[in-house]
Amino acid sequence: MNYKDLVDYMVKSLVDHPDEVEIREVEGEKSTILELRVTKEDIGKVIGKHGRIARAIRTIINASATKSGKRVVLEILD
Amino acid sequence: MKVIEVEGRTVDDATKKALAELGIANSSKINIEVIDEGKSGIFGFGVSRPAKIRLFYNTESKDIGDTIKEVIPNIINKMGIECRITDIKEGESKVYIELESKNNSGLIIGRQGKTLEALQFMVNLIVNHKTGSDKKIILDIESYRAKRERALRKMSKDIAFKVVKTGKPWTLEPMNPFERRLIHLTLQNDSRVTTKSEGQGIYRKVTILPKQ
């Protein structure tokens, strides 16, 4: 399963500066960590009011991770 | 928005020329204003005047239906789930989308519809960002919405019965505004109980209380 691709597509479709979206995938034994970096102006667009957008992204990733039984964590860095 | 003025022998002729010039075949995205209908000389005598039109071409936004057809399969397939759109109904302010998945509709719905809700929220954000429309997109799969509505109505009536019997209030699990509203509406005509919502944001819950 390519979680990076999924997050990449959603985030790039939301932000004003898709060229500056950076995602690093850190694969562990039981969990995968996705580190997301966007420009300062776009950070609100991936977090949303009360973290609503970030939560929706996480819910969608977790649904796709159900089959593999792996834990996928999305971290938004600034 | 693009505006061009074109002359031709007749209005039809001018329109054809204009479409060719813009390189578009789809005439649904244009508006035409006739400036001059033109006049053809009789038997080559008299003064002939060419027809003149002004054409408005809407370049700014992609069609909402096309964008939805591109965005939804993209997200869901990237989730590793097969799924297709079976129906799109576009209304004044809402667009209803029917999805179908052979083996994975449960995954698309998620626990208490959480995944479907997240997908719907995401699709709304992306499509509105891409097209600039403010129509609300509603996703449904296997009539989940109608089933959930029926289940909520039944549950709220069952719990109201329990509340009346025991005389103790009962607090339901957190729900979204639409679902809370449904509970309030279902029980508003029940004279034995009252309902109220408490809590903040996603933790907001409905409590059913016996009426004193």
Side-chain angles (χ1 to χ4, degrees):
Chain A
M1 203 32 240
N2 195 342
Y3 306 110
K4 194 179 161 186
D5 238 27
L6 174 64
V7 175
D8 190 76
Y9 175 74
M10 290 192 286
V11 172
K12 282 188 176 162
S13 310
L14 285 175
V15 298
D16 293 327
H17 307 283
D19 300 339
E20 288 173 63
V21 173
E22 242 179 82
I23 303 170
R24 219 163 65 93
E25 192 167 7
V26 185
E27 190 114 13
E29 228 171 86
K30 283 181 186 155
S31 62
T32 301
I33 300 167
L34 294 167
E35 294 179 342
L36 171 66
R37 223 182 268 273
V38 296
T39 60
K40 242 193 186 121
E41 302 99 79
D42 280 335
I43 216 154
K45 289 216 162 72
V46 293
I47 295 176
K49 269 185 211 151
H50 303 291
R52 243 187 118 188
I53 300 172
R55 192 167 50 241
I57 297 175
R58 289 185 176 120
T59 306
I60 293 170
I61 304 172
N62 283 325
S64 74
T66 328
K67 281 185 186 165
S68 67
K70 233 183 182 186
R71 232 168 71 84
V72 183
V73 182
L74 174 73
E75 278 180 24
I76 299 165
L77 306 175
D78 64 350
Chain B
M1 184 77 87
K2 220 170 177 176
V3 186
I4 57 165
E5 283 180 20
V6 180
E7 284 184 0
R9 208 167 36 80
T10 61
V11 172
D12 271 356
D13 197 40
T15 310
K16 266 182 212 151
K17 261 193 199 166
L19 288 177
E21 193 172 311
L22 288 166
I24 45 173
N26 182 0
S27 54
S28 70
K29 281 184 184 167
I30 56 163
N31 281 311
I32 293 167
E33 182 191 321
V34 178
I35 303 169
D36 194 336
E37 299 229 342
K39 199 171 130 194
S40 53
I42 304 155
F43 305 122
F45 299 108
V47 208
S48 75
R49 216 166 61 227
K52 204 173 177 187
I53 60 154
R54 190 175 287 146
L55 187 140
F56 301 88
Y57 175 46
N58 194 0
T59 51
E60 53 191 28
S61 58
K62 284 210 281 178
D63 183 50
I64 186 163
D66 289 346
T67 312
I68 288 170
K69 278 184 209 148
E70 170 202 316
V71 171
I72 295 179
N74 240 327
I75 296 180
I76 299 183
N77 293 339
K78 281 188 194 337
M79 290 168 76
I81 298 171
E82 53 78 30
C83 171
R84 59 190 200 93
I85 298 173
T86 52
D87 193 25
I88 296 186
K89 279 195 198 77
E90 194 174 344
E92 280 280 297
S93 59
K94 286 174 183 165
V95 188
Y96 294 89
I97 313 289
E98 282 278 337
L99 301 174
E100 190 186 81
S101 173
K102 270 200 203 91
N103 308 308
N104 289 314
S105 36
L107 264 185
I108 294 173
I109 294 168
R111 244 188 78 232
Q112 288 162 17
K114 288 267 157 35
T115 308
L116 189 64
E117 212 177 301
L119 279 170
Q120 177 173 302
F121 181 61
M122 203 52 162
V123 169
N124 269 285
L125 280 176
I126 294 176
V127 173
N128 293 348
H129 181 77
K130 283 193 171 177
T131 63
S133 111
D134 56 357
K135 282 193 179 174
K136 178 126 173 71
I137 300 158
I138 295 166
L139 301 185
D140 199 3
I141 184 163
E142 283 188 354
S143 321
Y144 174 75
R145 304 256 171 229
K147 279 185 202 155
R148 173 82 173 154
E149 199 177 313
R150 225 175 302 138
L152 282 175
R153 277 186 203 281
K154 184 175 180 310
M155 180 194 72
S156 58
K157 281 182 190 153
D158 290 350
I159 291 174
F161 179 75
K162 216 182 276 178
V163 167
V164 173
K165 218 171 121 191
T166 60
K168 284 181 190 157
W170 186 291
T171 304
L172 306 171
E173 68 203 32
M175 286 173 198
N176 67 33
F178 175 79
E179 295 182 340
R180 289 198 311 272
R181 181 170 169 272
L182 194 77
I183 308 275
H184 291 308
L185 284 177
T186 311
L187 296 177
Q188 72 176 354
N189 291 325
D190 191 326
S191 57
R192 305 163 304 170
V193 293
T194 56
T195 54
K196 70 170 189 233
S197 293
E198 281 169 317
Q200 288 292 313
I202 54 162
Y203 304 109
R204 208 161 159 79
K205 308 170 195 169
V206 177
T207 302
I208 302 173
L209 311 107
K211 216 173 238 176
Q212 260 78 36

